[in-house]
Amino acid sequence: MPLIKTITITPNLPESLQPLLRLARNLWWSWTPEAIYLFKDMDAELWDKTGHNPIAMLGSIEQPRLEELERDEVFLARMETVIQELERYLNAQTWYKKISNDGDGKVIAYFSAEFGLHESLPLYSGGLGILAGDHMKSASDLGLPLRGIGLLYKHGYFQQYLNPDGWQLETYPTNDFHNMPISPVKDGKGNPVIIDVKMDDRTVFCKVWEITVGRVRIYMLDTDVPLNSESDRQITAHLYGGSIETRLQQEIVLGRGGIRMLKQLGENPAVCHMNEGHSAFMAVERLIQLTKDAGLSFDEALEAVRATSVFTTHTPVPAGIDRFPEDLIRRYFGEAVGEMGISMEQFLDYGRIHPGDRNETFCMAVLAIKMASQTNGVSKLHGEVSRNMWAEIWPQIPKHEVPITHVTNGIHTLGWLSREMARLYERYLGSRWIDEPTNHNIWKRVRHIADFELWRSRERLRERLISFSRHRLKKQLQNKGAPRYQLKAADEVLDPEALTIGFARRFATYKRATLLFKDPERLTRILTNPQRPVQIIFSGKAHPKDREGKALIQKVVQMANRPELRNHIVFIENYDIEVARYLVQGVDVWLNTPRRPNEASGTSGMKVTANGGLNLSILDGWWVEGFNGNNGWAIGAGEEYDDPNYQDEVESRLLYELLENTVVPLFYDRTQHGIPSGWVEMIKNSIQSICPFFNTNRMVEEYSTKFYLPNSKRWLACQKDGWCEAREIAAWKKRVFELWHQVKITDVELPDKKAPKVGDRLPIHVYVQLGDLSPDEVRVDAYIGHLDDKGTIEEGHPLPLISTGETSELGYLFKGNLLCLSSGQIGFSVRCYPYRKELAHPFELGLLKWWESGS
């Protein structure tokens, strides 16, 4: 093959239209309606043809049209207004600057295997990526000094199409990065930035690209460069593709490569946030850099890394976690462990729940937990699930005290909001809701929206969805070579005035997409009632290797093909951000039927709420926190079942009853003016109660105040005076581990009073032998709570005991008073654990001594 030299050709715009290129390269336009319509109005057909990609459109638009726009004073004035608005946005005072006083350039690095920012950047597969994309947008709105770190996939995630029998098939189109809103990062000499990553017995080179999201930048690593072998060029070819070894290689590039890239760009992070465990190897590279550059020991470096790392887990089931066999870890990290100054067995134990268990595979979530000072789930319920899931890492700690908290997910409201609803909010709420989406008082004004206005807006959005669905269905049929009569029928499918239910998500079995089909005859009666028709629009992809998920899609399609249901059920192929946008904006009801507690959070229902839709969901994920009884519907009362078949039977019946007796009647109960006033009232309740909390501005503020700001201060404290604090804490921990065997609770004294009454105070005296430790190096608690049927304390609470400084042959004396708050039998014990104010949580060392029988 001849030598080929590449030339990158950029759009050739007239001078007066050059600002459009700058606008196109900042994804701020993607959540700014005026900017979107500016691009669309240049050439609506080309805008759709290029997948709403402004870079591709500007490079394809014909010269006569550009010359026409150059003379269009109205268009030029609109463009100038949008550019000025971008400037105002970029230079405005931000929330983060107000609360942080941050002028020292501390960087927060946010690692994610996928980012779902816009349909023109197909670098995501589902909810994890969409959440990461919304996190970036809100970080921009709030002004955080945040850098996203990801991988640039040549083929992204697969494109879905269905064969005539409804079976999912996949294609992998190539992403043309030079025609996307993404740019190569260049050094001071104008050369592309290339970083290298150690990989087994070789070096892999990665090109660095940049996506600008408002005030925030995302750096993407790409191994498809000529310096690499053909196999290494394929490392970033597919999102979640390839073998288990390819997956390991991707995660090394993401984690280790991400840190190396930041260092090369001079943006060493103060805080690192792992969005799922895929990026946990970033800790390895940070440890290596600190041992090399700062001369720290492994334990000292670990203090600095752990104190400034955050891990967010999104997975509620062990099967969803990446695990790698020991032989692969040994191959790929043999040199790294030497650089860190530890043995391979020590490193392997950081990825094991049970250190020393050679049968346990290396778990990325365990590595992330052990390398982070804070771990959180993505909803309140998911926090509980995660504490149970990972409790064995801290075997002596009660499950409810396992140091895993939660930050409930949200959405970037403006990015998912229809123009129709945005105008309505602006008219009744003013413009402050855009800058203050977490302000509950602003959202209370929703109750002032006239019922008929809100309902007319909802009708228009439903009509848009039906029109879009008909267009997509017709296109799907054309691609399959369907006869003309079927294409004509597609123009009539669905009813713009009928109650429209949406179900769109990843087709995993636990999400139970076909729960609604448990009783087909009953469902048919509900859907085809001539006085109160109902219709359902489905969309979603199954993982290419998930045959059970594909079978669910096939079942939906086969139901939709039944003659009596053909106009009531539609499946839209190739679910992406564009399809999601139409669905969440247009449906009346969003259906969610996961098998509790397997839905970590979910966010699609939040997007529906902002657009005036209502949720009908199992009480799982975020809906446990969101549902209040008058802002949507709950299927069941949060029960959990041992028998999945019985669960499906019970919950499908509850779903049918809700539809027949509550949801459908409320929708069709109209006033004399045709307004379903009860339905509209529920929409208002839903918006007021859900929108101000379930948004990513609140979520990112929570991450900032709980994690980013404290960890950033810890980073500065660790660095001070030649890493003095990191060295001190490491030395103290080593000392505590060596001396902990000396600690023993020797005596516990309670008064002889056999029947204390409510309101009594019972003095507690506890003696603890501490050996060579001092009382200020430990905390002693009385641990109190009700007993379960096994005689153990269930979800007890600690009562701190205070050291008196007195000693005897029994040890140091600790005192406290137990207040008897309620009658009945309670359990009582005592515990002791190491304490130092710099610890991220009380059980960071995992050391705990309980009062034992015979003590």
Side-chain angles (χ1 to χ4, degrees):
M1 185 175 179
L3 180 67
I4 297 174
K5 183 175 177 61
T6 60
I7 302 171
T8 302
I9 302 171
T10 58
N12 182 22
L13 298 179
E15 186 65 31
S16 61
L17 298 179
Q18 284 292 321
L20 290 171
L21 267 177
R22 178 174 173 242
L23 180 63
R25 294 195 183 281
N26 189 325
L27 284 176
W28 171 85
W29 63 260
S30 68
W31 70 88
T32 307
E34 293 79 7
I36 295 169
Y37 282 92
L38 184 73
F39 287 126
K40 184 176 182 178
D41 291 347
M42 292 179 74
D43 188 327
E45 188 175 335
L46 187 59
W47 178 247
D48 287 338
K49 187 178 178 181
T50 57
H52 308 152
N53 179 345
I55 297 294
M57 188 188 74
L58 292 175
S60 306
I61 196 165
E62 294 183 355
Q63 207 64 33
R65 176 56 179 156
L66 290 175
E67 292 169 3
E68 186 180 331
L69 291 169
E70 193 180 15
R71 298 189 299 269
D72 188 336
E73 293 183 6
V74 173
F75 180 84
L76 292 174
R78 286 174 60 199
M79 181 186 73
E80 182 62 27
T81 299
V82 171
I83 294 295
Q84 287 176 0
E85 184 59 24
L86 174 59
E87 287 296 331
R88 184 204 68 78
Y89 175 86
L90 294 176
N91 295 308
Q93 178 77 339
T94 65
W95 173 85
Y96 191 82
K97 285 181 182 176
K98 290 175 186 175
I99 67 141
S100 71
N101 266 338
D102 189 21
D104 54 11
K106 293 191 295 289
V107 169
I108 302 159
Y110 180 93
F111 291 78
S112 183
E114 50 176 300
F115 286 91
L117 294 156
H118 188 259
E119 59 263 29
S120 62
L121 283 163
L123 306 169
Y124 60 93
S125 73
L128 180 73
I130 299 298
L131 186 279
D134 282 9
H135 192 114
M136 295 298 105
K137 293 169 186 175
S138 282
S140 170
D141 290 345
L142 296 167
L144 271 67
L146 190 135
R147 303 289 181 266
I149 315 294
L151 300 179
L152 191 62
Y153 302 102
K154 187 174 182 178
H155 300 286
Y157 204 50
F158 69 89
Q159 302 283 299
Q160 176 199 56
Y161 69 100
L162 306 181
N163 70 12
D165 194 38
W167 190 256
Q168 174 184 291
L169 300 171
E170 301 88 26
T171 61
Y172 294 87
T174 302
N175 284 324
D176 180 3
F177 302 141
H178 295 285
N179 269 320
M180 293 164 67
I182 182 169
S183 308
V185 177
K186 297 185 178 179
D187 61 22
K189 297 178 181 178
N191 299 315
V193 172
I194 304 287
I195 63 117
D196 59 274
V197 184
K198 293 286 179 65
M199 192 84 70
D200 195 4
D201 57 351
R202 64 196 186 281
T203 298
V204 173
F205 298 92
C206 309
K207 185 176 180 179
V208 182
W209 298 75
E210 179 182 75
I211 302 172
T212 304
V213 185
R215 303 180 177 96
V216 165
R217 293 197 293 276
I218 303 175
Y219 295 123
M220 312 292 278
L221 295 168
D222 170 22
T223 66
D224 186 25
V225 295
L227 290 167
N228 288 329
S229 67
E230 193 57 42
S231 60
D232 286 343
R233 294 183 74 161
Q234 299 304 309
I235 291 174
T236 56
H238 296 95
L239 171 59
Y240 303 144
S243 66
I244 187 73
E245 187 167 358
T246 303
R247 189 72 167 260
L248 177 64
Q249 292 168 348
Q250 287 186 342
E251 298 186 4
I252 291 171
V253 170
L254 175 62
R256 296 195 65 185
I259 292 294
R260 293 178 70 84
M261 174 202 62
L262 287 171
K263 183 181 180 182
Q264 191 163 323
L265 295 176
E267 296 192 356
N268 290 332
V271 180
C272 289
H273 186 168
M274 298 170 275
N275 188 43
E276 224 4 298
H278 310 115
S279 56
F281 292 135
M282 70 85 196
V284 173
E285 190 61 33
R286 291 185 85 194
L287 288 164
I288 290 172
Q289 289 185 9
L290 285 173
T291 53
K292 281 185 175 181
D293 299 346
L296 301 180
S297 69
F298 174 80
D299 290 338
E300 291 164 350
L302 181 59
E303 288 309 314
V305 169
R306 184 186 279 147
T308 57
S309 297
V310 180
F311 171 47
T312 297
T313 173
H314 294 256
T315 310
V317 289
I321 303 291
D322 282 345
R323 297 174 190 273
F324 298 107
E326 182 180 318
D327 65 308
L328 271 183
I329 299 297
R330 287 184 178 275
R331 268 179 54 201
Y332 279 86
F333 287 89
E335 186 176 339
V337 297
E339 291 180 294
M340 287 187 285
I342 58 174
S343 69
M344 179 57 74
E345 282 305 313
Q346 284 176 291
F347 181 62
L348 287 167
D349 280 347
Y350 279 106
R352 293 168 174 157
I353 295 175
H354 307 102
D357 184 354
R358 296 292 298 272
N359 295 316
E360 190 177 336
T361 53
F362 189 91
C363 177
M364 293 300 287
V366 174
L367 177 65
I369 290 169
K370 291 184 177 182
M371 290 293 163
S373 58
Q374 295 105 350
T375 297
N376 70 279
V378 289
S379 69
K380 185 177 180 181
L381 178 59
H382 183 232
E384 295 174 17
V385 170
S386 299
R387 285 189 286 277
N388 287 323
M389 188 169 164
W390 301 113
E392 289 182 60
I393 295 175
W394 301 271
Q396 290 184 303
I397 299 169
K399 283 186 179 179
H400 72 283
E401 289 188 298
V402 164
I404 298 177
T405 181
H406 76 277
V407 176
T408 301
N409 280 347
I411 62 162
H412 186 252
T413 308
L414 203 57
W416 293 99
L417 195 64
S418 63
R419 203 177 189 190
E420 191 75 39
M421 291 299 289
R423 286 171 175 163
L424 203 58
Y425 291 155
E426 203 164 314
R427 195 152 62 249
Y428 283 92
L429 277 61
S431 60
R432 278 178 58 206
W433 71 271
I434 296 174
D435 296 321
E436 300 178 47
T438 62
N439 189 322
H440 286 256
N441 289 327
I442 292 174
W443 288 101
K444 286 178 183 176
R445 299 176 193 165
V446 164
R447 64 178 178 268
H448 299 305
I449 299 176
D451 285 4
F452 78 91
E453 275 195 86
L454 181 52
W455 182 243
R456 293 292 175 253
S457 294
R458 288 294 315 137
E459 288 189 311
R460 282 189 284 270
L461 289 170
R462 191 188 317 111
E463 287 165 3
R464 277 185 65 230
L465 171 60
I466 301 308
S467 176
F468 171 78
S469 300
R470 288 173 175 175
H471 173 75
R472 286 294 291 259
L473 182 60
K474 190 171 183 178
K475 192 175 177 181
Q476 290 169 199
L477 291 168
Q478 285 173 333
N479 292 339
K480 292 178 179 63
R484 184 175 296 177
Y485 77 89
Q486 286 188 6
L487 299 180
K488 189 173 181 181
D491 289 330
E492 302 296 325
V493 76
L494 303 175
D495 179 351
E497 296 183 359
L499 170 60
T500 303
I501 298 172
F503 184 101
R505 51 191 35 86
R506 182 165 56 92
F507 268 67
T509 51
Y510 79 86
K511 293 179 184 282
R512 297 190 296 178
T514 57
L515 183 67
L516 200 58
F517 300 157
K518 190 76 175 169
D519 186 341
E521 287 70 31
R522 190 172 181 182
L523 176 63
T524 301
R525 290 196 298 273
I526 293 170
L527 298 183
T528 59
N529 184 328
Q531 280 74 46
R532 303 187 309 190
V534 180
Q535 55 203 13
I536 312 169
I537 303 175
F538 287 90
S539 192
K541 298 176 178 179
H543 189 279
K545 295 178 182 177
D546 183 4
R547 294 189 65 83
E548 289 183 334
K550 289 184 177 184
L552 292 175
I553 292 174
Q554 186 177 43
K555 186 172 182 179
V556 171
V557 173
Q558 289 173 349
M559 285 290 288
N561 286 337
R562 291 188 178 188
E564 68 274 20
L565 296 178
R566 198 162 284 155
N567 288 332
H568 296 269
I569 300 177
V570 164
F571 186 93
I572 299 177
E573 293 178 16
N574 204 34
Y575 187 43
D576 65 359
I577 288 177
E578 181 189 17
V579 175
R581 194 180 298 115
Y582 274 99
L583 281 167
V584 300
Q585 291 177 2
V587 298
D588 299 297
V589 173
W590 194 253
L591 180 62
N592 189 33
T593 53
R595 198 182 300 284
R596 179 184 161 118
N598 290 335
E599 182 93 313
S601 173
T603 58
S604 51
M606 305 172 193
K607 297 159 192 162
V608 169
T609 297
N611 287 287
L614 296 171
N615 283 275
L616 170 58
S617 176
I618 298 290
L619 280 169
D620 198 7
W622 78 277
W623 191 231
V624 180
E625 298 166 67
F627 177 64
N628 67 11
N630 63 2
N631 60 355
W633 301 277
I635 304 166
E639 300 90 350
E640 294 177 21
Y641 298 80
D642 294 325
D643 182 348
N645 293 321
Y646 178 69
Q647 180 179 7
D648 291 352
E649 184 65 37
V650 170
E651 292 180 342
S652 64
R653 289 185 182 183
L654 289 171
L655 175 54
Y656 291 136
E657 287 167 12
L658 272 170
L659 287 170
E660 290 168 336
N661 303 321
T662 305
V663 179
V664 176
L666 189 66
F667 182 85
Y668 284 104
D669 183 12
R670 308 293 171 94
T671 66
Q672 60 180 351
H673 299 294
I675 309 296
S677 54
W679 188 274
V680 172
E681 182 184 1
M682 187 170 278
I683 290 174
K684 291 180 181 180
N685 291 337
S686 175
I687 293 169
Q688 289 178 80
S689 60
I690 292 171
C691 286
F693 183 80
F694 294 96
N695 63 75
T696 42
N697 278 47
R698 185 272 313 157
M699 183 190 83
V700 173
E701 285 180 13
E702 205 171 325
Y703 276 116
S704 298
T705 54
K706 280 186 175 180
F707 305 145
Y708 297 161
L709 285 170
N711 287 11
S712 190
K713 290 175 183 174
R714 289 289 305 279
W715 178 250
L716 291 177
C718 282
Q719 285 181 306
K720 196 174 179 183
D721 299 327
W723 300 90
C724 180
E725 184 175 296
R727 295 179 195 273
E728 283 182 5
I729 296 173
W732 176 80
K733 283 187 177 180
K734 184 180 179 183
R735 177 171 163 272
V736 170
F737 277 113
E738 289 173 350
L739 299 176
W740 194 247
H741 68 280
Q742 299 176 355
V743 176
K744 185 178 182 181
I745 299 168
T746 56
D747 193 29
V748 177
E749 295 178 357
L750 283 170
D752 293 333
K753 200 173 185 180
K754 292 188 177 177
K757 295 183 173 57
V758 172
D760 283 355
R761 287 179 179 273
L762 303 182
I764 303 168
H765 292 189
V766 174
Y767 290 90
V768 185
Q769 287 181 352
L770 295 175
D772 293 323
L773 294 174
S774 64
D776 59 356
E777 292 180 288
V778 300
R779 285 290 181 265
V780 177
D781 294 336
Y783 187 74
I784 305 151
H786 290 286
L787 299 175
D788 61 17
D789 55 5
K790 296 175 183 176
T792 59
I793 298 174
E794 186 178 51
E795 297 202 2
H797 63 274
L799 170 65
L801 304 179
I802 308 301
S803 171
T804 65
E806 300 175 37
T807 60
S808 70
E809 69 277 2
L810 293 174
Y812 287 93
L813 174 62
F814 291 79
K815 285 184 177 182
N817 289 291
L818 169 61
L819 176 61
C820 302
L821 295 172
S822 60
S823 59
Q825 189 179 49
I826 62 167
F828 171 91
S829 190
V830 176
R831 67 190 187 186
C832 177
Y833 50 89
Y835 170 78
R836 189 178 171 111
K837 63 181 176 62
E838 292 89 354
L839 298 180
H841 55 79
F843 307 117
E844 188 175 312
L845 278 72
L847 298 176
L848 199 66
K849 283 286 177 76
W850 288 92
W851 178 33
E852 297 176 353
S853 61
S855 295

